[in-house]
């Protein structure tokens, strides 16, 4: 496997996605107290609230459409219904959890909750942008919030079957089946929809954003559902690693070929680039029609560890300490990371020219930030902050057109409110 002896990409991403998972529910406490409680892990009233954990729904009807997890079990989702003014608004969250790029790694995922609904948790906590706490999540707390569970290993984009290994790659069919089901139970009459996801789910958002918009044609009388998308930690770059190679391109190429992904990629990209290139977001976002908000850490720890400096590119182990502790990076290593940050900023320059798009590039050594307890926050200073505005406020202002948001932090160590995980 290309990552050498380090833990697998799925394992590392899954750990990062799940860091800090806890409880959330609306209470009468002050915004500061509610945010502090969620940040610290939840306690007291909030931990005992009935709406903390959201049960799973297994969509057995999707099997007839060939929409199945890697092991052939039905897909699944978790839904927390909206209320009041939010009852006609929907957040659709695409769960993250890395990818598998070979029969060997896919077999490993197949026997877990990342490849089988039989092994998924029966209920999960909704936090951050999925929180039902008005204090923590004021713009979206009372919306219908649904998480589509990730069990295909290919960012909901594959459509293939490996008969010899008995592994299904049906991410695109899962996407279609679950979205059609949600439309049938009320989402078709939505006034507002926001597609979100982090990590492999953030990449999936970019791949499926325009597809979701196509499910909402203008209604009678010209009424139009507002559809927008938020990609968190999904801005993967085709970057050169420390040895001069392109480790992530090799990995993505294996995924695209194994899982039959080319047919699901945007035609606007594949018309002039190869399929692997069209799995990289910078080659897609410039042609997207639906408003998109990109939330990313400029020093994305997944890309640092597994794209820029994987063990195979570092046989001497000179980057091993730096990858686990940013303060241990020497001047040369930090210059290399600053170059990666500059490449990320450059990759979104054209995208940012559209007034309908939003941007928040923090100077943090982090990964997913919209669902984490300490980073998605309504209290100034609790969240990474750019131009005196945190992530939750920035996304809300963009979605509701309260302000144009094109926030790019200066180079590390700019943001004193970062929640570094490296």
């Amino acid at each position: 496997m290309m990552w050498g002896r380090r833990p697998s990409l799925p394992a590392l991403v899954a750990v990062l996605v799940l860091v800090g998972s806890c409880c959330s529910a609306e209470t009468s406490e002050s915004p500061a107290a509610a945010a502090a409680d969620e940040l610290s892990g939840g306690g007291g009233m909030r931990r005992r609230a009935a709406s903390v954990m959201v049960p799973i729904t297994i969509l057995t009807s999707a099997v007839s459409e060939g929409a199945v997890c890697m092991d052939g079990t039905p897909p699944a989702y978790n839904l927390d219904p909206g209320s009041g003014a939010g009852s006609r608004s929907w957040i659709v969250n695409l769960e993250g959890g890395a990818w598998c790029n070979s029969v060997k790694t896919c077999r490993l995922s197949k026997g877990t909750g990342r490849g089988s609904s039989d092994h998924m948790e029966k209920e999960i906590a909704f936090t951050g942008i999925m929180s039902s706490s008005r204090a923590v999540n004021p713009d979206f707390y009372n919306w219908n919030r649904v998480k589509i569970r990730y069990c295909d290993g290919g960012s909901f984009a594959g459509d293939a079957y490996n008969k010899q290994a008995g592994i299904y790659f049906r991410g695109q069919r899962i996407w279609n089946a679950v979205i059609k089901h949600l439309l049938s139970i009320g989402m078709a009459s939505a006034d507002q929809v926001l597609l979100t996801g982090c990590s492999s789910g953030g990449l999936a958002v970019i791949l499926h954003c325009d597809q979701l918009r196509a499910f909402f044609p203008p209604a009678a009388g010209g009424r139009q559902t507002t559809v927008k998308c938020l990609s968190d930690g999904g801005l993967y770059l085709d970057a050169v690693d420390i040895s001069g190679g392109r480790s992530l391109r090799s990995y993505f190429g294996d995924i695209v070929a194994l899982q039959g992904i080319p047919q699901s990629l945007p035609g606007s990209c594949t018309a002039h680039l190869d399929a692997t290139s069209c799995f990289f977001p910078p080659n897609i976002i410039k042609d997207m029609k639906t408003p998109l908000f990109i939330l990313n850490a400029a020093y994305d720890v997944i890309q640092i560890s597994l794209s820029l400096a994987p063990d195979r590119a570092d046989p001497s182990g000179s980057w091993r300490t730096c990858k686990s502790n940013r303060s241990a990076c020497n001047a040369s290593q930090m210059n290399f990371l600053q170059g990666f940050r500059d490449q990320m900023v450059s990759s979104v320059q054209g995208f940012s020219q559209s007034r309908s798009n939003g941007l928040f590039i923090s100077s943090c050594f982090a990964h997913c930030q919209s669902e984490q307890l300490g980073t998605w926050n309504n209290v100034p200073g609790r969240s990474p902050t750019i131009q005196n505005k945190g992530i939750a406020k920035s996304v809300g202002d963009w979605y509701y057109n309260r302000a144009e948001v094109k926030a790019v932090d200066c180079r590390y160590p700019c943001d004193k409110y970062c929640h570094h995980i490296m």
Side-chain angles (χ1 to χ4, degrees), residues 239-358:
V240 175
D241 63 36
I242 58 173
S243 71
R246 293 184 181 271
S247 294
L248 192 58
R249 165 168 278 273
S250 175
Y251 185 73
F252 274 6
D254 291 342
I255 297 165
V256 168
L258 175 68
Q259 301 204 27
I261 288 176
Q263 58 196 319
S264 300
L265 298 171
S268 58
C269 181
T270 55
H272 62 278
L273 291 175
D274 61 274
T276 299
S277 295
C278 294
F279 203 59
F280 283 97
N283 296 324
I284 303 172
I285 57 177
K286 58 186 177 181
D287 294 317
M288 288 176 58
K289 307 301 182 185
T290 308
L292 173 67
F293 192 104
I294 291 179
L295 168 63
N296 229 93
Y299 308 91
D300 189 309
V301 296
I302 287 295
Q303 296 192 62
I304 291 172
S305 293
L306 303 174
S307 173
L308 300 183
D311 282 356
R312 66 176 298 180
D314 182 33
S316 69
S318 62
W319 273 77
R320 193 166 300 144
T321 303
C322 174
K323 285 189 291 184
S324 61
N325 179 7
R326 68 189 183 284
S327 63
C329 298
N330 61 37
S332 175
Q333 290 168 332
M334 188 55 67
N335 284 337
F336 186 86
L337 297 179
Q338 299 292 20
F340 174 75
R341 174 262 178 199
D342 293 346
Q343 181 182 349
M344 180 176 291
V345 173
S346 177
S347 75
V348 296
Q349 284 185 349
F351 164 86
S352 67
Q353 298 306 306
S354 171
R355 291 181 59 86
S356 66
N357 293 330

Side-chain angles (χ1 to χ4, degrees), residues 24-27 29-32 34-35 38 46 83 85-86 89 91 127-143 145 192 194 370 375-380 383 389-397 399-400 402:
S24 62
E26 184 180 0
T27 72
E29 59 194 318
S30 70
E38 183 161 332
R46 291 167 59 76
S83 62
S89 298
I91 287 181
T127 56
I129 194 173
M130 300 296 284
S131 173
S132 58
S133 167
R134 185 173 187 174
V136 172
N137 190 29
D139 286 314
F140 309 107
Y141 75 97
N142 61 348
W143 286 29
R145 285 156 292 110
Q192 302 171 117
L194 175 61
S370 64
T375 49
W376 177 269
N377 213 300
N378 195 42
V379 178
S383 161
K389 191 183 297 185
I391 293 173
K393 184 67 163 60
S394 297
V395 173
D397 282 355
Y399 189 90
Y400 287 103
R402 296 189 296 242

Side-chain angles (χ1 to χ4, degrees), residues 106-176:
C106 292
R107 277 197 180 118
L108 294 175
S109 296
K110 179 181 174 182
T112 73
R114 298 300 183 204
S116 170
S117 57
D118 282 349
H119 295 282
M120 293 176 181
E121 308 96 322
K122 301 308 177 187
E123 55 182 13
I124 58 175
F126 277 6
T127 56
I129 194 173
M130 300 296 284
S131 173
S132 58
S133 167
R134 185 173 187 174
V136 172
N137 190 29
D139 286 314
F140 309 107
Y141 75 97
N142 61 348
W143 286 29
N144 297 280
R145 285 156 292 110
V146 57
K147 181 182 287 288
I148 303 178
R149 304 301 294 274
Y150 184 48
C151 64
D152 66 280
S155 287
F156 296 92
D159 194 357
Y161 174 62
N162 188 301
K163 185 176 181 180
Q164 183 176 2
I167 301 175
Y168 295 88
F169 301 110
R170 296 288 174 77
Q172 184 65 42
R173 297 193 196 193
I174 291 173
W175 159 262
N176 288 332

